[in-house]
Structure formats: structure tokens, C-alpha cells
Amino acid sequence: MTTSPYTSQSAFDGSRMRVLLLVDLHEGAEQQFLDAYEQMRDRVASVPGHLGDQLCQSLENPSQWLITSEWATAPPYHAWVNSDEHIETVRPLTRCAREIRSLRYGIVRETGGATRAAHPRTDGLQKDVRVGDGVIRHALTFTVKPGSESKVAEILAGYAPPEARVDDTTRLRRTTLFMHGNRVVRTVEVEGDLTTALRHVSRQPEIRAVEEALNPHLEQHRDLTDPESARTFFARAAMPPVHHVTRGGPEPAGLTRHALYYPAKEGCGMALARFLATQDETAAADPAGPVHRSTVFQREDIVVRLIDVHGDPETDPVMALGIHGPRKAAVLARLLDGDALGVEGTLRGEREATRLLTHADMALITDRRAAQS
């Protein structure tokens, strides 16, 4: 996939990926951590796309460790890190740590020592240096018990927003919540450090009250007073962005935000996310299109596309859905689980785009923007 100049994030450019895991251990947990790492290393070594890893200990502070791993491309890493197997694999490691932080990078340039310094490697490298907008995007998704949807929507729409300013370098920019049936999707935009922002939000009394009010309605049990239960819930709820594109030029006035839900057929989630990302790449070059900005989030067979559009998406449902071009609607139909989306009958392409858009469009619960400072 060739990325456009408007792309600031993509898991589909074919470049190798470097993952850094920063670990701060509890006092005296070094041997327990080493044992956990040995078990984890053996399991990760067999994961497709994993090229190797290193375990490093800080020279200044022996309680601080670094695990680096390299991956052939981003998609196999995302498939692994979003799996239940990954949660179980890292569980012994998390019990040793005060804090674990994950950082992910595409490899842009590389040299291989003195003999190759004059001839840097170019295979599997990120081909273009992307221009970002200083915003980190993240999403969470979870399901609630059928019949509780209206109560959950009331809880999520009624809370007071947390303080937007986290510290001198981090602030919350925007939080938007959507529902589709009994599925909730919460998207956040952060300037600065995402981990710091999420920790800040979780400590706010108004947010803790909302989370406690949600607990009886969740399909997946959680106990927020138990760190392992809370960590497992949020690990399973995390839905990382795999592609983000913003059309060039000034932002039009009157943009509205929508989330479109694309449940994939079993095993087709990554292929569906890649298809939508490719479509957005093409659409970004069309100044007349309705979609100004798009972020594709994906976890296993759940794909959500967050779009900022000018005008009503129903005036151009083909472009809004990302199925413009010959046979693109047919491709989407092959990847999409119509039953899970609630679409009756066979999807027959662009002629039924309006019907598909109606089913895919998630209900907006709340959209909170921080005041501009």
C-alpha cells in the first residue's frame, strides 16, 4: 500500500516495526520478572511476524528494564497484542511491575555497523517521513447487557467532563462516545502523552463514578478495585488506530463527527481495516469529497471508522462508507458480516449504500471538546 502525503499514521505501509516496553519493577521482583520474561519470550518467538527481541536492564536504576522487539510489519503485531493469548502471556510479567509502558515505532533509517555504515539498509523501512498534527488518537470498545442500552446511554451522556489540562505538556482535546446496539465505542484525542492522559482521567472522581455506574451493565465483569481485573478489562477493550488520514488544506467549517461500525467476517478484521485505509488514501486526494478526516480503529474482527465530514453523509453514502470505485462495494460485502451489522439479505453494492450507511452509522451519545487555550 502506497500512503498519500495526507497520511500521518498507517499500519499498512509494509515497514518493519520496533516496539519498546519500559518496565518499572516492584522492589525485589527481579528474579520473578526474569522467570516471567523467559516464559513470555518462548511464546512470542513463535508468533508470525516476530523477528527478535532484547532484554535490557538500566545501568542507573536496576529496577528499570527495557524489552525491545522487532516485527516484520505492524499487522501481525497488532493481531498478537490484541489477542487473549497475549493478555495471558504477559500477565505474570505485569504482576512484577509498578508500571509498564509500550512505545511503537516504524523504522525509517537503519545502518548495520562499520562495514555497512556507508550503505544503509532500505528493505522494510518506512518510505516517507509523515507529518503529524500533535494529536494521539485512541479508542475503547465494550458491550453492555442487552436491554440496558438506554440506561448506559444516559450514564455516558450525563457525566461532568474531567479537567482537560493534565500537565504542562499533556491535555485532553476531545472525547466522543457512540453506541451501536449494545456495543459502546469511546474515542479520545490527546495532545502530549496518552498514558499520562488516561491515568489522569481514571483518577477523576466524576469518571470513577461513571465507571462504577457502568459496572452492573457490562457483559464482561470487572472489578476496578482489583488492578489485575481492571488491567484485563481495558486490555480487551483497547482498539488501536491502524490508519489516519486528513485531507490537506484548511479545515472546512461545520464538520460533523460520525462513527461507522464494520463488523468483519471471522478472521477478516485486518483485511477490512486495510481495505478502508486504502479507500481513505484515495479519497484524501479528492477535494470535493465529503470526508475531511478519517481514523480506522481495529481490534480482531471489530472495525470502526471515525470520520469528520462536511454536509450530511447520506447525500453521498458511497464516499461516506469508503466504497467509491469499481467493485469496491462488492469487496466490502465479502469482508463484512452483514448479520452482525443487522443488514437483512445480500449487500448488492452501491445501489444499497444508503441502507448500509443507515445500519453502520453509530448513535452519537456525547461529543466533548476541550476549550481552546
Side-chain angles (χ1 to χ4, degrees):
M1 174 178 172
T2 302
T3 57
S4 79
Y6 309 121
T7 301
S8 60
Q9 182 175 0
S10 180
F12 305 117
D13 63 1
S15 64
R16 282 180 287 127
M17 182 180 185
R18 174 76 65 184
V19 180
L20 309 180
L21 203 64
L22 308 176
V23 185
D24 188 8
L25 295 182
H26 292 298
E27 184 178 354
E30 284 78 9
Q31 189 56 52
Q32 182 184 355
F33 170 73
L34 286 173
D35 293 341
Y37 170 76
E38 290 300 325
Q39 296 178 25
M40 183 183 74
R41 182 186 66 174
D42 292 341
R43 296 182 70 176
V44 176
S46 64
V47 175
H50 177 261
L51 301 179
D53 59 67
Q54 290 181 321
L55 176 65
C56 310
Q57 185 178 24
S58 169
L59 297 177
E60 290 80 20
N61 184 347
S63 294
Q64 293 180 347
W65 294 72
L66 169 68
I67 301 173
T68 72
S69 62
E70 187 173 332
W71 297 77
T73 58
Y77 170 78
H78 282 292
W80 159 247
V81 81
N82 291 333
S83 68
D84 281 347
E85 182 183 4
H86 175 265
I87 293 174
E88 294 304 318
T89 298
V90 302
R91 193 187 302 277
L93 189 147
T94 60
R95 290 171 178 162
C96 309
R98 291 191 186 93
E99 183 178 14
I100 298 178
R101 185 179 178 192
S102 177
L103 303 174
R104 307 163 191 185
Y105 296 86
I107 300 176
V108 179
R109 300 288 186 272
E110 183 177 51
T111 56
T115 59
R116 293 189 296 174
H119 304 283
R121 289 178 57 185
T122 58
D123 57 304
L125 301 186
Q126 180 181 310
K127 293 180 175 58
D128 300 306
V129 177
R130 303 187 188 111
V131 178
D133 55 7
V135 178
I136 302 171
R137 295 166 177 87
H138 188 65
L140 296 170
T141 186
F142 52 87
T143 55
V144 298
K145 296 174 182 176
S148 68
E149 293 89 349
S150 60
K151 180 60 177 178
V152 168
E154 179 184 337
I155 293 170
L156 293 174
Y159 70 93
E163 172 61 39
R165 186 177 181 274
V166 178
D167 56 31
D168 290 342
T169 59
T170 300
R171 68 190 293 266
L172 298 169
R173 252 181 58 144
R174 191 170 183 176
T175 302
T176 317
L177 288 105
F178 301 89
M179 291 185 69
H180 189 284
N182 71 328
R183 178 166 297 281
V184 176
V185 171
R186 173 188 291 157
T187 69
V188 297
E189 295 181 354
V190 172
E191 292 179 7
D193 183 71
L194 177 64
T195 301
T196 301
L198 295 179
R199 186 182 298 116
H200 163 80
V201 169
S202 69
R203 292 171 177 168
Q204 301 305 301
E206 58 271 26
I207 300 301
R208 296 183 69 87
V210 168
E211 297 294 345
E212 291 293 343
L214 285 176
N215 279 345
H217 305 294
L218 298 175
E219 287 199 312
Q220 179 189 340
H221 171 75
R222 70 177 181 187
D223 179 1
L224 295 178
T225 65
D226 176 2
E228 187 166 311
S229 175
R231 186 164 47 241
T232 298
F233 176 86
F234 287 110
R236 288 191 172 127
M239 189 162 52
V242 293
H243 195 80
H244 177 76
V245 61
T246 301
R247 177 176 293 129
E251 181 169 310
L255 288 178
T256 59
R257 174 156 289 188
H258 297 259
L260 302 180
Y261 176 50
Y262 302 81
K265 291 178 181 175
E266 185 175 357
C268 293
M270 187 64 72
L272 178 51
R274 185 191 296 270
F275 166 77
L276 294 171
T278 302
Q279 292 295 98
D280 284 335
E281 290 288 340
T282 303
D286 179 7
V291 180
H292 179 76
R293 183 183 297 112
S294 173
T295 308
V296 178
F297 300 92
Q298 182 253 335
R299 180 183 183 87
E300 297 180 322
D301 291 330
I302 301 167
V303 181
V304 171
R305 184 163 156 263
L306 188 70
I307 56 174
D308 292 335
V309 302
H310 51 86
D312 186 344
E314 291 193 4
T315 61
D316 194 346
V318 170
M319 292 291 286
L321 283 165
I323 53 174
H324 47 281
R327 297 182 296 279
K328 300 304 182 184
V331 174
L332 178 62
R334 288 198 298 270
L335 297 170
L336 195 65
D337 186 344
D339 291 338
L341 191 57
V343 178
E344 297 181 359
T346 304
L347 298 174
R348 301 185 184 277
E350 294 185 5
R351 292 178 300 171
E352 296 194 356
T354 299
R355 180 169 74 101
L356 178 56
L357 180 62
T358 300
H359 283 273
D361 200 8
M362 303 188 76
L364 176 65
I365 304 303
T366 183
D367 186 13
R368 302 171 185 269
R369 301 189 196 209
Q372 295 296 316
S373 56

